[in-house]
Amino acid sequence: MPLLPRKGLLAIAAVIDVAVQAPGCPISAKTLAARHALPPRHLESVLQSLVREGILKGIRGPRGGYELAREPHRVTANDILRAAGTVDNADNEPVGSELLSKVVLPALSSAEQEFGIALSRINLEDMARDAEALSVSFGRAAAARA
């Protein structure tokens, strides 16, 4: 059972993809979508959320696309998931029943907090380094197929 929604995993993958690009070479939403087998429209809303939260910056124009807005060591998996809207604060969630509010949520609260702490220890710099260490770069392999 995956703990993270597909949208969150794709957001992390897209940010790693942006992070491994050469500095000053933004990557387009279309290219990111193709690399991750998504319709560009589906990924665009996630990318815009990442821009609003200051993880990515959008560059307009014919050679535009997305670049990192912060240093990779200052971006965590938890930051990306929150920006993509896949992690919510428990305080903002409406509670539908007494069973949910008095039994289920309190029982799971500490596990959610520990999971958030663990996600905060995973930074983009480490994930990008692991991606770059792959024997075949996913970006070059995808470009060769296109």
Side-chain angles (χ1 to χ4, degrees):
M1 172 180 87
L3 293 175
L4 296 173
R6 179 167 156 65
K7 178 180 176 181
L9 296 174
L10 290 169
I12 291 171
V15 174
I16 294 169
D17 204 341
V18 171
V20 299
Q21 297 304 303
C25 296
I27 184 168
S28 71
K30 184 178 177 180
T31 300
L32 285 169
R35 287 184 184 176
H36 300 285
L38 295 169
R41 246 185 347 257
H42 179 76
L43 187 58
E44 190 66 41
S45 66
V46 173
L47 295 171
Q48 287 303 310
S49 296
L50 293 163
V51 168
R52 277 191 302 277
E53 293 298 319
I55 293 171
L56 297 179
K57 62 181 173 182
I59 313 286
R60 295 184 185 261
R63 299 205 189 278
Y66 294 90
E67 292 181 329
L68 289 180
R70 319 183 213 168
E71 298 87 15
H73 71 276
R74 296 187 61 222
V75 178
T76 68
N78 201 38
D79 295 336
I80 297 167
L81 292 169
R82 284 189 183 285
T86 60
V87 175
D88 296 322
N89 292 329
D91 298 339
N92 295 337
E93 293 182 26
V95 178
S97 72
E98 190 173 17
L99 179 63
L100 271 174
S101 65
K102 294 185 177 178
V103 178
V104 176
L105 292 176
L108 299 178
S109 178
S110 94
E112 285 181 333
Q113 289 173 357
E114 291 299 319
F115 190 48
I117 290 167
L119 289 169
S120 293
R121 288 192 295 259
I122 302 168
N123 72 45
L124 179 58
E125 184 175 54
D126 294 338
M127 292 186 287
R129 185 175 31 252
D130 291 346
E132 289 173 333
L134 293 174
S135 61
V136 176
S137 168
F138 57 89
R140 281 183 240 142
R145 287 192 301 266

